[in-house]
Amino acid sequence: MIILLEGKIELKGEKFVVVNVAGIGYKVFAGQETLQKIPEKGGSVKLWTYQYVRENAIELYGFLRFAELELFE
């Protein structure tokens, strides 16, 4: 399970951000409030993550604070 990502922002979309961690890009879905607080491309970020696994997809949801992740769970 992936619980924490720390790296540089490669891309910000309307519903997600791509975080480059040691050359691997992770697509992390996040809420609007979280996305507004995340720096632009090239900035550093640390996200607590929830890995959601289902039959046809594996998704990561990101949060700036551990308490937000706990609430989500």
Side-chain angles (χ1 to χ4, degrees), residues 5-72:
L5 291 176
E6 188 168 1
K8 296 212 178 279
I9 303 299
E10 287 292 326
L11 175 69
K12 281 179 74 173
E14 288 186 27
K15 297 180 181 181
F16 68 91
V17 64
V18 177
V19 181
N20 183 333
V21 180
I24 299 172
Y26 293 89
K27 183 177 185 179
V28 182
F29 294 95
Q32 289 301 313
E33 185 176 324
T34 300
L35 288 170
Q36 289 173 358
K37 293 178 182 177
I38 292 175
E40 295 301 318
K41 182 178 177 179
S44 295
V45 69
K46 179 178 176 180
L47 293 172
W48 294 95
T49 60
Y50 178 83
Q51 186 175 6
Y52 181 60
V53 179
R54 57 184 183 204
E55 186 176 312
N56 61 346
I58 298 174
E59 299 173 339
L60 284 175
Y61 294 89
F63 308 90
L64 291 171
R65 295 182 300 130
F66 186 73
E68 293 173 306
L69 170 62
E70 287 183 309
L71 182 63
F72 179 79

